[in-house]
Amino acid sequence: MTEEASSEATLSNLLREERTFPPPAAFAEAANVPASAYEEARDDRIGFWENQARRLSWAEPWHTALEWTPPFAKWFVGGKLNVAYNCVDRHVEAGNGDRVAIHWEGEPGDTRTITYADLQKLVSQAANALHELGVRPGDRVMIYLPMIPEAAVAMLACARLGAAHSVVFGGFSADSLRNRIDDAQAKVVITADGGYRRGKPSALKPAADEAIAGTAVEKVLVVKRTNEDVPWTEGRDVWWHDVVDRQPTEHEYTTFDAENPLFILYTSGTTARPKGILHTSGGYLTQASWTHHAVFDLKPETDVYWCAADIGWVTGHSYIVYGPLSNGVTQVMYEGTPDTPHQGRFWEIIQKYGVTILYTAPTTIRTFMKWGADIPAKFDLSSLRLLGSVGEPINPEAWMWYRHHIGGDRCPIVDTWWQTETGAIMISPLPGVTATKPGSAQRALPGISVDVVDESGKPVPDGGGGYLVLTEPWPAMLRGIWGDDERYKDTYWSRYSEQGYYFAGDGAKKDDDGDLWLLGRVDDVMNVSGHRISTTEVESALVSHPSVAEAAVVGATDPTTGQGIVAFVILRGEATEGGDTATELRQHVAREIGPIAKPRQILVVPELPKTRSGKIMRRLLRDVAENRSMGDVTTLADPTVMNMISAGLAGNA
Ligand code: 6R9
């Protein structure tokens, strides 16, 4: 055995998961998508997607399902549709206007109930207003809003007009917003006075103003949410309630090409130049809609669905707005943070609305673990029937906690792998079919072709590890990087250009059953004395210790080993920081993975630096671990976290 192979073998310990959980019989029997979907798609992949496209309403049918000029794809060429009509009007026309589309819950406890008939009126008014403000098909509109219904309404209004929206997280800085406005050459910005976060109004308009000054933006449409005073630029700024509310509640839509741009979403990156991921209409909506139906087993008449993501993340686009609404779902939308006013807020919401499907991120689940299982135990969660996870690899430990404490050991869990670039879910169990394994996203959905390959592009055998690639085009795939075809080719298609594979940038392993384990971004691989160790594996080992709630691991330059493993851990609510916690945890990792993976240093911290989509910014932790001054923190959900960490570490020393 080579050294590489032997370390791979040691490191696979954690990923040899013995437990499997087949779907409950009743669930399987009533499931939307049966096992035969895999065969159907294998026999005729394109035909399979054409069938799913027929779940939508088209004004004109396509003549060519896929035009593939690698790496540029066009799906459903010649087809015409209106995305907003598909998400709203057709449900009203089908007699479901009275169905609740959105149960909105504001952080302070105010609520709004919006039916599909209401939504149709709201979207029509907003579309009329945007038209009045000069928005035309092909234009770009920036959306910088808190989690209020107007965010979804604004997106749909743009879609209705054939203009592309670009949503920017409310938590992003003025600088980030300005970069994106410039790159997209947006004409109109939709923002709000502010939103509520952690029990307080949090202003948005001042940052929007700072970002807009000197750009090509002509109009700023401002929603009143917090009633705080805001700076105002006459002639440029208009209130939503002045301009939108007086519009007719009907809007005659036109239909657009399947390849008409629907949105640009910027990925939060480490480089200065934003990367605008471009998505178009027909293929995107087909896959967002079908995956939502298939992976969440969505039953529009009876389910109450809740995706607890922010709309500024791709998950909010595909699984709050386009997927769910195209399926006529009743859903919950929540404005605030999970611990305001108390740590049981999520469970209270689930109990109140009878939520049946919950979709959230591992980071949130680990936060709940940290707060303790007695909190959800105080609420009635018996309405839940399916749980989903997205955003990061979910540690087996967190998976089991989610299954037991939230899902009452009865709800299937779907661990869904996908990216801003893929537009919709690619790898996930099918809840009525797959016997799930804690920590594994398992296999490609029907109609999706993935593989794990080595450096040279050769598929690795079962049991092996390498890089995740997508081997065939898929309907919701990005159509490019806005304004930069070269960068698109470079970033995703140059690494395996010979094979024509899309390089996802994620490490992955196939276990002995051929199931997939995602290991995080490939740049999250450490090199310790020549052994390649993924940060995810060490983090998983740490989190499997009863006193650890959350862990982030980085490789810091080490004079002897190349890199040394530095772990930042948050202890669980009940655990206290004792003198030998670090020693105990180092031994624990050695037991779980092998001595080579033992962290050089373990630092107990109160919080971890995360983006709004819950991804740990290891780059900043590496700065701390290597005693450097900190890099750019503007994309952090909470920029004060790094100060807390530095202060805590200084105190420890
Ligand atoms: C949807 C979303 C994409 C990156 C992706 C991967 C990580 C997402 C995951 C997962 C393991 C999962 N990721 N889901 N890793 N298991 N179920 O998160 O999009 O913000 O673009 O991030 O997130 O590393 O490459 P995006």
Side-chain angles (χ1 to χ4, degrees):
M1 222 191 247
T2 63
E3 190 178 85
E4 176 97 325
S6 92
S7 86
E8 289 280 319
T10 333
L11 294 171
S12 300
N13 280 352
L14 265 182
L15 307 181
R16 212 171 293 126
E17 179 59 62
E18 301 291 337
R19 296 166 288 197
T20 57
F21 299 93
F27 194 109
E29 218 159 280
N32 283 353
V33 177
S36 57
Y38 290 108
E39 284 137 54
E40 190 197 328
R42 202 166 36 234
D43 294 346
D44 179 7
R45 189 173 57 87
I46 307 285
F48 171 83
W49 284 119
E50 287 188 281
N51 283 339
Q52 308 322 328
R54 290 186 194 105
R55 299 181 65 252
L56 305 177
S57 169
W58 294 79
E60 272 175 48
W62 56 92
H63 54 73
T64 310
L66 170 64
E67 235 177 69
W68 180 223
T69 321
F72 296 96
K74 289 185 179 161
W75 283 85
F76 309 118
V77 185
K80 279 187 187 293
L81 79 172
N82 185 291
V83 170
Y85 170 82
N86 271 280
C87 292
V88 183
D89 306 60
R90 66 169 174 149
H91 306 311
V92 179
E93 285 171 15
N96 294 318
D98 291 340
R99 184 184 296 161
V100 173
I102 301 174
H103 288 294
W104 179 77
E105 177 90 12
E107 200 191 67
D110 51 334
T111 60
R112 284 167 71 181
T113 307
I114 298 172
T115 64
Y116 275 94
D118 297 335
L119 192 60
Q120 186 181 33
K121 291 185 187 130
L122 292 169
V123 172
S124 298
Q125 286 185 308
N128 285 322
L130 288 177
H131 182 83
E132 186 180 302
L133 295 176
V135 175
R136 296 291 175 270
D139 285 347
R140 272 85 52 207
V141 174
M142 231 66 198
I143 299 177
Y144 187 56
L145 284 174
M147 281 292 288
I148 52 179
E150 284 79 3
V153 169
M155 290 163 74
L156 291 164
C158 291
R160 197 172 180 99
L161 293 173
H165 55 72
S166 184
V167 183
V168 175
F169 275 137
F172 277 177
S173 65
D175 263 3
S176 314
L177 177 60
R178 173 197 288 275
N179 286 337
R180 289 155 173 77
I181 290 174
D182 277 340
D183 190 73
Q185 289 296 298
K187 207 171 184 180
V188 168
V189 175
I190 305 175
T191 186
D193 47 0
Y196 287 91
R197 278 199 90 73
R198 298 188 199 286
K200 290 193 300 275
S202 153
L204 268 183
K205 180 69 168 45
D209 283 337
E210 200 186 320
I212 293 161
T215 65
V217 169
E218 291 161 18
K219 290 286 175 192
V220 182
L221 183 56
V222 190
V223 180
K224 186 168 261 198
R225 165 69 184 132
T226 59
N227 281 315
E228 305 255 286
D229 280 342
V230 291
W232 203 255
T233 305
E234 284 306 330
R236 186 198 69 182
D237 299 351
V238 290
W239 284 111
W240 178 286
H241 58 261
D242 282 342
V243 178
V244 179
D245 292 0
R246 65 171 160 77
Q247 300 292 332
T249 53
E250 272 164 31
H251 172 264
E252 210 167 306
Y253 65 90
T254 43
T255 57
F256 300 96
D257 218 77
E259 285 297 334
N260 194 53
L262 181 63
F263 64 87
I264 301 167
L265 188 57
Y266 288 87
T267 52
S268 62
T270 44
T271 58
R273 210 153 46 98
K275 204 161 62 177
I277 305 301
L278 173 66
H279 283 286
T280 60
S281 304
Y284 169 80
L285 192 63
T286 295
Q287 194 180 332
S289 186
W290 180 75
T291 52
H292 183 258
H293 162 84
V295 173
F296 298 105
D297 191 46
L298 201 280
K299 311 275 200 281
E301 292 82 18
T302 47
D303 275 319
V304 180
Y305 165 87
W306 182 20
C307 169
D310 194 290
I311 233 157
W313 183 21
V314 71
T315 302
H317 284 56
S318 301
Y319 298 106
I320 294 178
V321 179
Y322 294 111
L325 295 177
S326 68
N327 287 325
V329 75
T330 293
Q331 72 177 315
V332 169
M333 183 173 171
Y334 173 54
E335 177 184 32
T337 40
D339 54 352
T340 309
H342 57 81
Q343 295 179 335
R345 187 66 189 271
F346 263 45
W347 321 122
E348 186 179 69
I349 290 174
I350 288 174
Q351 175 178 292
K352 174 174 174 186
Y353 294 103
V355 170
T356 58
I357 302 168
L358 175 67
Y359 191 30
T360 188
T363 175
T364 313
I365 298 165
R366 288 190 300 262
T367 303
F368 294 139
M369 289 172 76
K370 177 175 64 183
W371 293 341
D374 53 320
I375 295 174
K378 291 188 199 117
F379 296 88
D380 179 4
L381 305 181
S382 61
S383 56
L384 286 170
R385 67 180 194 93
L386 177 67
L387 302 173
S389 172
V390 59
E392 283 179 282
I394 176 164
N395 330 74
E397 207 60 26
W399 197 101
M400 289 302 293
W401 190 93
Y402 197 28
R403 175 179 160 85
H404 183 66
H405 293 288
I406 308 305
D409 292 320
R410 73 181 177 275
C411 304
I413 297 181
V414 287
D415 174 11
T416 62
W417 180 91
W418 59 294
Q419 308 176 300
T420 305
E421 291 87 342
T422 69
I425 299 173
M426 304 292 279
I427 304 173
S428 164
L430 279 179
V433 177
T434 315
T436 53
K437 282 182 193 171
S440 168
Q442 296 191 295
R443 60 191 287 199
L445 286 177
I448 299 299
S449 311
V450 312
D451 211 335
V452 180
V453 299
D454 64 16
E455 292 284 350
S456 70
K458 217 169 75 231
V460 304
D462 287 353
Y467 303 101
L468 184 75
V469 293
L470 307 173
T471 58
E472 297 287 351
W474 62 100
M477 70 189 279
L478 75 166
R479 299 305 196 255
I481 293 177
W482 183 253
D484 201 342
D485 283 351
E486 280 316 303
R487 194 172 176 198
Y488 168 64
K489 290 186 209 160
D490 246 37
T491 312
Y492 306 108
W493 302 94
S494 62
R495 179 119 175 195
Y496 294 112
S497 55
E498 219 171 287
Q499 297 83 357
Y501 293 162
Y502 169 94
F503 173 64
D506 278 16
K509 287 191 179 183
K510 290 180 193 166
D511 69 15
D512 294 339
D513 304 323
D515 283 323
L516 299 175
W517 295 75
L518 279 311
L519 297 176
R521 306 294 300 167
V522 290
D523 44 18
D524 291 341
V525 174
M526 301 171 290
N527 193 321
V528 183
S529 305
H531 300 275
R532 292 175 43 173
I533 302 174
S534 113
T535 53
T536 301
E537 285 171 304
V538 182
E539 286 162 6
S540 257
L542 285 165
V543 174
S544 73
H545 188 280
S547 56
V548 176
E550 183 142 27
V553 163
V554 298
T557 312
D558 187 287
T560 41
T561 58
Q563 280 186 315
I565 302 177
V566 179
F568 296 78
V569 299
I570 302 178
L571 298 179
R572 285 226 200 162
E574 49 293 1
T576 51
E577 188 183 344
D580 48 8
T581 310
T583 321
E584 162 67 23
L585 292 179
R586 293 178 75 240
Q587 274 158 6
H588 178 73
V589 174
R591 273 195 304 274
E592 290 287 308
I593 308 180
I596 184 71
K598 210 154 60 167
R600 178 184 82 185
Q601 227 178 332
I602 294 195
L603 304 165
V604 175
V605 292
E607 283 297 339
L608 292 170
K610 284 181 199 151
T611 64
R612 282 287 286 281
S613 65
K615 290 182 181 49
I616 295 166
M617 290 191 73
R618 293 197 176 73
R619 175 170 60 83
L620 298 177
L621 293 175
R622 261 193 306 270
D623 290 343
V624 173
E626 297 181 341
N627 298 315
R628 256 195 316 275
S629 68
M630 235 161 306
D632 180 25
V633 296
T634 52
T635 55
L636 281 181
D638 178 358
T640 61
V641 164
M642 288 315 293
N643 298 338
M644 271 156 62
I645 292 177
S646 306
L649 296 182
N652 280 351

